[in-house]
Amino acid sequence: LPAVFSRLGELEKGDDIYIKRKDGEILHFSVTKSDVYDFDSKPNEVFTEDYGKLIKLITCTGVWIQKYRTHDKRLVVSAILVDS
């Protein structure tokens, strides 16, 4: 089976993401951007954005580095909650 975020890179700005909460409520998010970072970088905007209600979906991408047993890049897709 493919990884849960195997197609994350296909999302584009304006695409919709729906998340079903445990209580059954469905949250609607709209993709605002996608960025790729080196696996060992610590970009502030990934963890410190504080405007609106947002989610960050993060997965590995790029080339496998055997020495570190990970890929050399991280794909970060940002999305903001759409008011209902």
Side-chain angles (χ1 to χ4, degrees):
L1 291 173
V4 70
F5 284 162
S6 64
R7 297 180 61 198
L8 193 63
E10 296 176 21
L11 288 174
E12 297 178 350
K13 186 175 180 176
D15 284 348
D16 297 308
I17 298 172
Y18 295 92
I19 298 175
K20 185 175 183 179
R21 293 176 15 154
K22 189 176 183 179
D23 64 6
E25 180 182 359
I26 296 176
L27 302 176
H28 175 201
F29 291 85
S30 179
V31 174
T32 56
K33 64 181 179 174
S34 294
D35 295 300
V36 176
Y37 300 95
D38 290 335
F39 81 101
D40 57 353
S41 69
K42 295 174 178 58
N44 282 339
E45 65 270 14
V46 172
F47 301 105
T48 61
E49 276 185 308
D50 61 358
Y51 67 90
K53 297 177 182 176
L54 25 108
I55 58 170
K56 302 280 184 164
L57 305 176
I58 303 171
T59 193
C60 298
T61 191
V63 178
W64 178 256
I65 306 172
Q66 183 61 38
K67 176 181 177 181
Y68 298 112
R69 299 183 47 83
T70 191
H71 289 83
D72 68 337
K73 303 287 182 192
R74 297 294 180 264
L75 170 64
V76 181
V77 174
S78 302
I80 193 160
L81 185 65
V82 175
D83 292 326
S84 45

